[in-house]
Each structure stands twice: as C-alpha cells, then as structure tokens.
Amino acid sequence: QVQLVESGGGLVQLGGSLRLSCAASGRTFSSYAMGWFRQAPGKEREFVAAISWSGGTITYADFVKGRFTISRDNAKNTVYLQMNSLKPEDTAVYYCAADQTGWGTSRQSAYDYWGQGTQVTVSS
C-alpha cells in the first residue's frame, strides 16, 4: 500500500512558476514509476508527465514540453513537478500517481495509487 500526498499548489500569475511535490509513504517507493496528471474544471483528467523507477525514462505530454520538469528523489520518497512559464490553461487540480510496474506510462488505468490532488490556479 502506498499513500501519496501532494503539496505546492497555489495561485500564480501568468508566466510564473510553481514546484509541486508528492510525498509517498512506504518502503517500496523506489520501485514505482510516478506520474502527474491534471483535471481542469469541466474536463477529463489528463496525463502531464511520468518518470520511471530509476528516473531513466521520462515522458511528457506535448503541451508541457519545455515548460515542466518531472524529477524524483528516492531517498526522500518524493517526486516533483517543476512548472515554469505557467499559462491560465494550466489551471487544474494536479494529481500524482504510482505505477507498480515501474516503467511509467500516460495511461491512467496503469496507475495503482493516487493522491488527493493540489490546486494550481494561473491568473492572467
């Protein structure tokens, strides 16, 4: 069992930056791939980024390439999402998720555990 707790969300202006963190409980964090997803009001949840268990494989959604960076610190049981050049369309609840296979994927159904989410609001 893995419990995930996101933090770091908030209100930021157009062009600003935020760093989201996702702290995981459990001794097996280093074996899980981790993903970030988001859900905007009235829209379906969508993939943002994923990182494999070792950090060696990273995948991004096209709309965040060059602006967002996913990383992990297995010693701290934490995955991060650095978000730069934020736009109003990035406004959403951001969720982290853990994938037991360890490889990471954009498919939501592959993830076994989910956090409660953290709100990110970008004002224009």
Side-chain angles (χ1 to χ4, degrees):
Q1 187 77 10
V2 175
Q3 292 185 325
L4 304 173
V5 179
E6 302 95 336
S7 62
L11 174 64
V12 64
Q13 291 187 332
L14 172 68
S17 298
L18 283 174
R19 187 174 83 153
L20 305 183
S21 299
C22 174
S25 65
R27 295 174 290 178
T28 57
F29 172 79
S30 61
S31 67
Y32 286 79
M34 300 298 295
W36 284 98
F37 294 80
R38 70 185 188 184
Q39 187 168 21
K43 296 186 177 181
E44 294 187 351
R45 189 163 57 187
E46 62 182 354
F47 169 74
V48 176
I51 185 167
S52 63
W53 68 275
S54 66
T57 301
I58 291 175
T59 307
Y60 294 103
D62 287 344
F63 56 78
V64 302
K65 284 182 180 178
R67 299 190 300 126
F68 292 9
T69 302
I70 188 171
S71 62
R72 67 189 296 159
D73 185 339
N74 287 342
K76 295 182 178 180
N77 280 14
T78 303
V79 63
Y80 305 97
L81 185 68
Q82 177 67 45
M83 306 187 295
N84 299 327
S85 301
L86 284 162
K87 308 173 183 179
E89 51 263 45
D90 294 318
T91 294
V93 176
Y94 283 71
Y95 300 89
C96 69
D99 167 14
Q100 292 186 75
T101 70
W103 298 113
T105 174
S106 61
R107 292 185 298 108
Q108 297 185 44
S109 60
Y111 289 82
D112 306 283
Y113 304 101
W114 292 81
Q116 293 300 306
T118 185
Q119 176 71 47
V120 171
T121 303
V122 184
S123 67
S124 56

